[in-house]
Amino acid sequence: MQDAGGENVEEHLQEVDAQYKASLPKLMGEDQAHRDPSRWWFASAAFPMVAGTLGPVASAFSICALVRPWRQNYTKGADIKTATFIKDPAWLIAINAVQLAIALSSNLALLLNMTRRLRFSVAQPVTIVGWYLSSICLIALASTTAGPLRPENNDFIWSEAYFYGIYAAVLYFVVASLMVVTVWGSQQGHYAKDFMLTPSQRTLMLQTISFLIYLLIGALIFSNTEGWNYLDGVYWAAVTLFTVGFGDYYPTSTLGRALLFPYSLVGIISLGLVIGSIRTLMLERGKKRLDARMVEKLRHRVLSKMAKKGKDGILTPIRDANSDSPELSSSSGLTEFQRRQSEFELMRKIQKQATHRHRWIALAISTSTWLVLWLVGAKVFQECERQYQQLTYFDTFYMAYVSLTTIGYGDITPVSNAGKSFWVFWALLALPTMTVLISNAGDTIVKGIKDATDKVATVTILPSERGFKSEFKATFNALSHGKLFTEDIEESPPGIHGASQRHRYSSEENDDEGEQAQDQADTDAESANTGLIKQKQAKNARNEECHKRRVEGNAAEEDSGDCPDRAVRFDDSSTTSGKKGSNGRSKKMGNTDDEENPYDQNSNSTSQLPEMTRAVSIPRQDLPQSPMDPAEYHLTLIEEIGLVMQHLKSHPPRKYTFQEWAWYLRLIGEDESDAAKHRKPHAHLRSSKDELEGKERAKWSWVGSRSPLMSSQEEAEWILERLIETLTDELRGVKAARRKNEMKNQKSQQADTFMPGF
């Protein structure tokens, strides 16, 4: 069809539609993050986060190494607080100042790169080279001080500044090496030349810098107020803000005690923010990524084991007995819909097992790290205090424990320069580790104790809504591994949705609940605000009920008028008809020359409707198929989008049942009864390029690497994105069809005008 300018309108519309589809994310399997080895996630996200946290700590130690000389005169047996400083050479101070300036420039470059103010290719060389130079300078200065600058007599000791310089050199070398790995990974093409960090991860460096500046300024103020050595003030500030409170240093002046109130309050809150950010990033951000990788490994292991034992027949798509493809036929008696449900349940078991395993592995790692810091730290403290205090290993073991747990009795404290400086360095690592350990213990041990306590309560003094008898049977069914009371217990659907399902009560219980609900409603009606809240809750409950009826296909309940008649019917056989698009959806509106406006009320031909909307209902063998017109289909999409947006607020994230997934997949053009769209998952790991070639691109399995359950998105996010994409595509089709009809009418009118006699 040509317009007045000779342009083929139909070809133009098809080209625009193809360009739009190409710009959309693919329906299945484009999220391959779980395939990337965990080491590249560490290199792209964890390493920059660690460098952004420890880099400022190293600079703070460099400042401590600069502000005081590195040697002190000391007579054995005297009070170490009376030791006088030996002046450092001018060249040593100058080199120390230069390396500090270089280190601060490196930190600034990294910060600007994280905030995307400086390009990756410019910032990283500056950061890496600067940190390595600072580390080399400090090592050279420490070696020179211990060699050529060593006094001839032995009546001297190294000051706290000397040890802070060593700690700074070690940290600079470590963080520079981490950034080398990050840059190398980007050069190898494993990820983009940019930090894969969230806004919260980017601000962690700012929080760390702010806290360290606050600690150093507070140490300066209190050391002048109380007459302490500045580095002793740094030690006091760390003991105070970490809430250990040994009591070996404390303010005695009225001004110092008055300043303690605001200083400690703001400092403790700032430290809590930093530790909270570290905990969130390590446990939540890292957990999500590592969980996906662990699910991928366990999935591969399960599929390999099933293939070796010959039990992978359930993973092969099933067509009807008259299928032309023998490999897709089955004599097991299962339909494709039932097989897909078994596949889905297998994937849920893999996810559950992987999550359980990851929790215990995380607990083991954090516990091991904490024990190493505890045991090794105790040994270092013993060696540091050997010349000044005759402490046994058990004494320092005890001191390290009361420091880790922030008990801080103060009966044993470090007094040497090495001991006090090492305590500051050690505490900055140990206390966040302790926080992560407590969180991991809460997810495993504490959770297990809580669940066991709740279970005992439900079968004794606090029975749940199901009643004492049902809870008793469910408990013994679980303890006997499903051998007792198997027929008397109604299983809940998998995931969080199962926990929210309504139980079927007897008629007497329903009457009692109805009377209680009515009494509560009468009471709440006295307040207008409460009434509005209940209306909103009732609306949400009604939406959930409508969604449940659509999923379960309960046509009898839908006739009540509370919900639109848009039930989904599940079929145990393949019922998809019509041609599909390359991305798994049916053809959109406006693809034929004689197609009418889908919203035209005068159009009474169902053949004019797009195949998607003619087949969105999934028929069940005992129910007639109920077609859905385009307007009804689009309204269903809108309502489901609103419902899924409510699901996004669920915490923990909502997990959908297979029936719900089948409903949502059908809405976006995927039929769980259509074996032509399904494939058997591969037992071996394959590259995404090999797996996505040709016709195999549109096929997927629930336990395959392209399963929606393997996405890095939450399930509600994945579904919402596809529903919005589908609705947008459908409305574009409506617009194209309407435009097409308008142009047809316009050309028809032009023809009548030019040929009035005909």
Side-chain angles (χ1 to χ4, degrees):
M1 182 176 64
Q2 307 285 335
D3 64 358
E7 180 183 4
N8 192 310
V9 178
E10 181 178 356
E11 292 181 359
H12 174 72
L13 292 175
Q14 292 177 353
E15 181 180 356
V16 171
D17 187 59
Q19 292 176 354
Y20 171 71
K21 291 178 180 179
S23 66
L24 293 173
K26 303 302 179 184
L27 183 63
M28 298 288 178
E30 296 305 313
D31 186 358
Q32 302 295 321
H34 56 276
R35 292 186 172 193
D36 298 330
S38 301
R39 58 181 177 271
W40 297 123
W41 175 83
F42 280 106
S44 63
F47 285 178
M49 184 181 66
V50 173
T53 304
L54 295 183
V57 174
S59 296
F61 289 165
S62 291
I63 295 175
C64 294
L66 178 64
V67 296
R68 286 293 182 269
W70 285 19
R71 297 164 299 169
Q72 287 180 280
N73 290 315
Y74 174 73
T75 302
K76 188 174 182 180
D79 186 358
I80 194 173
K81 296 180 181 179
T82 62
T84 59
F85 288 100
I86 302 174
K87 188 176 180 180
D88 290 330
W91 59 265
L92 187 147
I93 298 175
I95 295 176
N96 204 351
V98 170
Q99 70 81 19
L100 176 60
I102 294 174
L104 292 177
S105 300
S106 300
N107 278 288
L108 180 61
L110 180 62
L111 178 62
L112 292 176
N113 187 203
M114 284 188 171
T115 56
R116 297 182 177 176
R117 303 290 183 182
L118 192 63
R119 294 197 308 271
F120 184 89
S121 58
V122 175
Q124 291 315 300
V126 173
T127 301
I128 294 172
V129 173
W131 278 343
Y132 273 132
L133 285 177
S134 295
S135 178
I136 293 172
C137 288
L138 287 171
I139 292 174
L141 292 178
S143 301
T144 303
T145 304
L149 295 181
R150 183 184 181 93
E152 294 180 359
N153 57 13
N154 291 325
D155 294 336
F156 82 99
I157 56 174
W158 308 117
S159 70
E160 292 180 66
Y162 174 82
F163 293 104
Y164 278 121
I166 295 177
Y167 304 147
V170 172
L171 289 178
Y172 282 140
F173 184 83
V174 170
V175 294
S177 301
L178 293 179
M179 296 311 300
V180 167
V181 176
T182 299
V183 173
W184 181 78
S186 66
Q187 294 292 340
Q188 296 297 317
H190 295 290
Y191 43 82
K193 293 183 178 181
D194 191 11
F195 293 130
M196 301 173 61
L197 303 178
T198 62
S200 59
Q201 289 172 327
R202 299 177 193 276
T203 57
L204 177 60
M205 187 175 182
L206 288 175
Q207 293 177 352
T208 305
I209 294 174
S210 301
F211 171 74
L212 292 173
I213 292 176
Y214 186 81
L215 185 147
L216 295 178
I217 293 177
L220 178 63
I221 295 174
F222 280 90
S223 62
N224 290 329
T225 301
E226 302 299 325
W228 300 329
N229 174 16
Y230 175 71
L231 297 183
D232 288 339
V234 172
Y235 166 74
W236 168 85
V239 171
T240 301
L241 298 185
F242 289 156
T243 68
V244 177
F246 282 136
D248 48 352
Y249 288 86
Y250 53 89
T252 57
S253 65
T254 302
L255 178 59
R257 290 175 176 176
L259 292 175
L260 177 65
F261 295 114
Y263 179 74
S264 60
L265 181 62
V266 176
I268 292 172
I269 293 175
S270 300
L271 178 63
L273 291 175
V274 174
I275 294 180
S277 297
I278 295 174
R279 175 194 173 277
T280 300
L281 297 176
M282 294 299 294
L283 296 182
E284 295 182 6
R285 305 291 182 183
K287 174 181 177 297
K288 186 175 180 180
R289 176 64 182 82
L290 296 178
D291 268 349
R293 184 59 184 168
M294 189 164 290
V295 169
E296 169 66 13
K297 290 182 177 180
L298 183 59
R299 182 191 69 84
H300 168 243
R301 192 177 303 118
V302 170
L303 293 181
S304 299
K305 186 179 297 185
M306 292 177 66
K308 290 180 180 179
K309 294 183 178 181
K311 297 181 179 180
D312 57 346
I314 192 66
L315 304 178
T316 303
I318 299 173
R319 287 187 178 177
D320 54 53
N322 298 324
S323 173
D324 296 332
S325 302
E327 68 276 6
L328 296 180
S329 301
S330 174
S331 59
S332 62
L334 293 177
T335 62
E336 175 63 9
F337 189 83
Q338 294 171 338
R339 186 198 67 82
R340 291 282 284 186
Q341 184 170 4
S342 300
E343 206 176 64
F344 178 88
E345 292 171 354
L346 174 61
M347 189 63 195
R348 280 291 191 225
K349 292 180 180 178
I350 293 174
Q351 286 181 314
K352 183 178 180 180
Q353 185 177 352
T355 300
H356 180 77
R357 181 176 300 179
H358 177 262
R359 287 176 179 173
W360 285 99
I361 291 176
L363 177 62
I365 293 175
S366 58
T367 302
S368 302
T369 306
W370 182 75
L371 287 174
V372 169
L373 288 171
W374 182 12
L375 301 178
V376 175
K379 185 61 178 178
V380 174
F381 283 127
Q382 183 188 18
E383 296 300 323
C384 291
E385 300 299 319
R386 185 179 298 277
Q387 184 179 352
Y388 309 93
Q389 303 182 78
Q390 298 301 319
L391 299 178
T392 64
Y393 180 72
F394 181 78
D395 292 333
T396 54
F397 180 82
Y398 163 80
M399 185 192 74
Y401 177 79
V402 297
S403 298
L404 280 172
T405 55
T406 68
I407 295 174
Y409 288 127
D411 49 346
I412 301 177
T413 60
V415 298
S416 66
N417 292 332
K420 287 185 288 187
S421 60
F422 179 75
W423 192 94
V424 176
F425 171 72
W426 175 80
L428 287 171
L429 301 178
L431 294 182
T433 303
M434 182 70 180
T435 303
V436 174
L437 172 62
I438 294 174
S439 300
N440 287 329
D443 292 338
T444 52
I445 299 175
V446 177
K447 183 178 182 297
I449 295 175
K450 179 181 179 298
D451 292 343
T453 304
D454 292 342
K455 182 58 66 176
V456 171
T458 55
V459 298
T460 54
I461 60 175
L462 295 174
S464 65
E465 294 177 344
R466 291 197 298 179
F468 174 80
K469 184 177 180 181
S470 298
E471 286 293 346
F472 182 82
K473 291 182 177 181
T475 301
F476 276 89
N477 176 264
L479 293 176
S480 63
H481 300 285
K483 295 181 180 180
L484 298 178
F485 307 111
T486 55
E487 298 181 357
D488 296 335
I489 299 175
E490 181 180 353
E491 293 289 341
S492 298
I496 299 173
H497 178 70
S500 63
Q501 291 295 311
R502 299 176 177 83
H503 299 285
R504 294 183 174 88
Y505 299 107
S506 62
S507 59
E508 292 80 9
E509 291 174 334
N510 286 330
D511 293 340
D512 293 340
E513 289 187 356
E515 293 175 0
Q516 294 175 2
Q518 183 62 40
D519 294 340
Q520 184 66 31
D522 294 339
T523 302
D524 293 341
E526 297 177 359
S527 171
N529 292 334
T530 306
L532 292 175
I533 293 175
K534 287 188 67 64
Q535 290 178 6
K536 185 176 181 179
Q537 292 175 344
K539 181 179 179 180
N540 292 337
R542 185 166 60 254
N543 291 338
E544 286 282 355
E545 182 64 24
C546 293
H547 168 75
K548 181 181 177 183
R549 292 176 184 176
R550 292 179 196 139
V551 172
E552 294 180 349
N554 196 334
E557 292 184 2
E558 288 182 335
D559 293 339
S560 62
D562 292 338
C563 306
D565 188 11
R566 287 189 293 277
V568 57
R569 279 83 160 127
F570 293 106
D571 190 3
D572 291 340
S573 61
S574 179
T575 58
T576 304
S577 60
K579 297 179 181 180
K580 301 282 184 181
S582 60
N583 64 346
R585 295 190 189 90
S586 303
K587 289 185 177 180
K588 306 300 178 185
M589 304 175 184
N591 291 339
T592 58
D593 290 340
D594 50 347
E595 183 172 2
E596 301 179 11
N597 186 351
Y599 288 134
D600 187 0
Q601 296 180 355
N602 297 325
S603 177
N604 55 6
S605 174
T606 58
S607 63
Q608 304 291 339
L609 302 180
E611 296 175 12
M612 165 68 81
T613 53
R614 282 188 280 124
V616 290
S617 297
I618 303 176
R620 197 168 57 195
Q621 292 179 349
D622 57 342
L623 291 174
Q625 182 174 355
S626 177
M628 189 184 300
D629 60 56
E632 198 80 3
Y633 171 50
H634 298 159
L635 182 59
T636 300
L637 285 175
I638 294 172
E639 290 179 349
E640 293 296 340
I641 287 172
L643 188 61
V644 175
M645 290 181 68
Q646 295 294 324
H647 296 165
L648 288 174
K649 302 176 183 179
S650 301
H651 186 77
R654 176 158 179 163
K655 305 294 183 183
Y656 293 94
T657 64
F658 175 75
Q659 285 73 20
E660 289 177 309
W661 267 107
W663 162 248
Y664 287 124
L665 289 174
R666 196 65 187 94
L667 286 178
I668 63 178
E670 289 282 332
D671 190 353
E672 285 297 273
S673 300
D674 185 8
K677 289 296 181 182
H678 307 153
R679 62 173 298 172
K680 182 178 180 179
H682 295 281
H684 59 281
L685 298 175
R686 304 178 63 186
S687 66
S688 58
K689 180 178 179 180
D690 294 337
E691 187 168 341
L692 297 179
E693 285 182 351
K695 296 182 180 180
E696 295 296 307
R697 184 181 185 88
K699 298 182 179 182
W700 60 283
S701 167
W702 280 113
V703 291
S705 61
R706 300 175 61 230
S707 168
L709 300 183
M710 293 294 295
S711 172
S712 60
Q713 297 174 298
E714 299 294 349
E715 294 183 17
E717 293 175 347
W718 193 97
I719 292 173
L720 179 63
E721 181 179 310
R722 270 65 180 185
L723 289 177
I724 293 176
E725 175 190 333
T726 302
L727 179 61
T728 303
D729 212 5
E730 283 285 315
L731 294 180
R732 280 180 176 269
V734 173
K735 182 178 180 180
R738 181 175 298 171
R739 174 63 176 166
K740 199 172 182 180
N741 290 334
E742 289 176 355
M743 297 189 70
K744 284 177 58 179
N745 294 335
Q746 183 179 1
K747 294 185 75 66
S748 177
Q749 292 175 2
Q750 290 177 354
D752 293 341
T753 302
F754 287 127
M755 295 180 292
F758 296 95

